[in-house]
């Protein structure tokens, strides 16, 4: 699995730089913006956007084609052309495409504008959702804290995950992630919760839940909820990073549909 993934890329170093660039960490990204797809697959989105991109001399590229997380990068030699391209994309596609140079900053900005807060109940991501938010200025306005519920005992005692669901479905399951979301909202008093539980590897996989299987959920206090089962490829750190980005995207789906 790992060899197959690496064949799609030049090197693990390039992959890490790509992921870091999602959060503005791989040097400053000039004249490039990432297009996060919230209801379109990458191939269809690229086809639909190619005409607009050509008009503004913008180059589109599909990133991460061999995994559950597909993103487009839009690059131009002129920053003004890129800005105009993004305006047209937002007007034409609305909530289906979310442009951002720094996804964590964008999440903070949206929450701040509406005076709302978010929390996270993390298992397989081990605090990465909270980490990337709190690296950014303004995080204290939207994030009071979260829970790293790595062990089942912590899931039960801190997040009120039922022992019955842990026994019947396992920690890596939709039922457990749903209870993690509910527990995080109750514990924190936040308006939104994100939750992750999965198998990042390199061990722990099975036939029914291979390495890279991750359940990710987002829920708001009003009851809107999305929980998805994903399969990410790559090594442990890369799987965790992809799951973190995907959690933010699920938040965007819930937020943009209801606020």
């Amino acid at each position: 699995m790992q060899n197959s993934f690496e064949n799609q890329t030049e090197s693990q170093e390039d992959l890490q730089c790509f992921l870091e660039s999602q959060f503005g960490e791989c040097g400053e990204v000039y004249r490039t913006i990432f297009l996060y797809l919230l209801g379109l697959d990458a191939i269809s989105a690229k086809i639909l956007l190619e005409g607009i991109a050509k008009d503004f001399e913008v180059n589109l590229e599909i990133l991460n084609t061999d995994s559950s997380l597909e993103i487009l990068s839009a690059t131009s030699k002129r920053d003004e052309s890129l800005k105009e391209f993004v305006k047209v994309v937002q007007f034409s596609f609305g909530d289906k495409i979310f442009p951002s140079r720094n996804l964590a900053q964008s999440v903070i900005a949206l929450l701040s504008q509406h005076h709302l807060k978010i929390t996270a109940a993390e298992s397989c991501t081990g605090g990465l959702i909270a980490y990337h938010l709190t690296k950014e200025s303004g995080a204290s306005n939207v994030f009071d804290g979260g829970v790293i519920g790595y062990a089942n005992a912590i899931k039960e005692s801190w997040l009120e995950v039922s022992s019955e669901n842990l026994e019947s479905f396992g920690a890596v399951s939709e039922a457990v992630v749903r209870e993690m979301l509910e527990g995080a909202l109750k514990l924190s008093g936040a308006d939104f919760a994100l939750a992750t539980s999965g198998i990042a590897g390199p061990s722990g996989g099975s036939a029914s839940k291979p390495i890279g299987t991750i359940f990710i959920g987002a829920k708001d206090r009003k009851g809107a909820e999305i929980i998805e089962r994903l399969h990410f490829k790559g090594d442990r750190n890369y799987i965790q990073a992809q799951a973190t980005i995907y959690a933010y995207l699920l938040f965007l789906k819930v937020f943009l549909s209801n606020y």
Side-chain angles (χ1 to χ4, degrees), residues 12-194:
Q12 183 65 43
E13 191 173 301
D14 291 338
L15 292 176
Q16 193 60 39
C17 188
F18 153 63
L19 269 176
E20 289 171 353
S21 69
Q22 310 303 289
F23 301 107
E25 296 174 350
C26 193
E28 196 167 355
V29 182
Y30 293 100
R31 302 188 182 94
T32 296
I33 196 163
F34 298 100
L35 304 178
Y36 297 94
L37 308 177
L38 308 176
L40 294 170
D41 66 272
I43 293 175
S44 298
K46 188 172 186 291
I47 292 171
L48 291 169
L49 290 170
E50 279 178 340
I52 302 172
K54 185 177 180 181
D55 290 341
F56 291 97
E57 298 181 329
V58 169
N59 181 61
L60 294 176
E61 181 182 354
I62 298 175
L63 305 177
N64 216 36
T65 57
D66 197 37
S67 196
S68 295
L69 179 68
E70 293 183 311
I71 302 167
L72 293 180
S73 68
T75 305
S76 176
K77 294 179 180 179
R78 297 189 304 115
D79 196 53
E80 193 58 38
S81 293
L82 192 58
K83 290 178 181 177
E84 292 303 315
F85 166 75
V86 168
K87 287 180 183 178
V88 174
V89 169
Q90 290 180 304
F91 178 80
S92 302
F93 292 89
D95 295 345
K96 297 296 184 183
I97 298 177
F98 187 84
S100 177
R101 279 197 170 105
N102 183 312
L103 193 55
Q105 282 183 355
S106 296
V107 169
I108 290 170
L110 285 174
L111 290 166
S112 295
Q113 289 166 13
H114 291 79
H115 306 289
L116 299 170
K117 293 194 174 186
I118 193 169
T119 188
E122 302 185 61
S123 185
C124 63
T125 48
L128 285 175
I129 293 173
Y131 168 74
H132 284 294
L133 285 175
T134 56
K135 280 180 90 287
E136 302 299 331
S137 175
S140 60
N141 295 326
V142 304
F143 184 82
D144 289 338
V147 173
I148 301 175
Y150 207 61
N152 285 351
I154 297 298
K155 291 183 177 71
E156 288 186 61
S157 61
W158 291 5
L159 295 168
E160 300 184 7
V161 174
S162 67
S163 58
E164 291 82 4
N165 278 338
L166 286 167
E167 184 175 345
S168 299
F169 304 107
V172 182
S173 65
E174 180 178 341
V176 166
V177 165
R178 178 169 288 109
E179 289 188 320
M180 289 172 70
L181 290 169
E182 293 168 355
L185 286 173
K186 180 179 178 180
L187 186 64
S188 68
D191 303 284
F192 294 87
L194 303 176

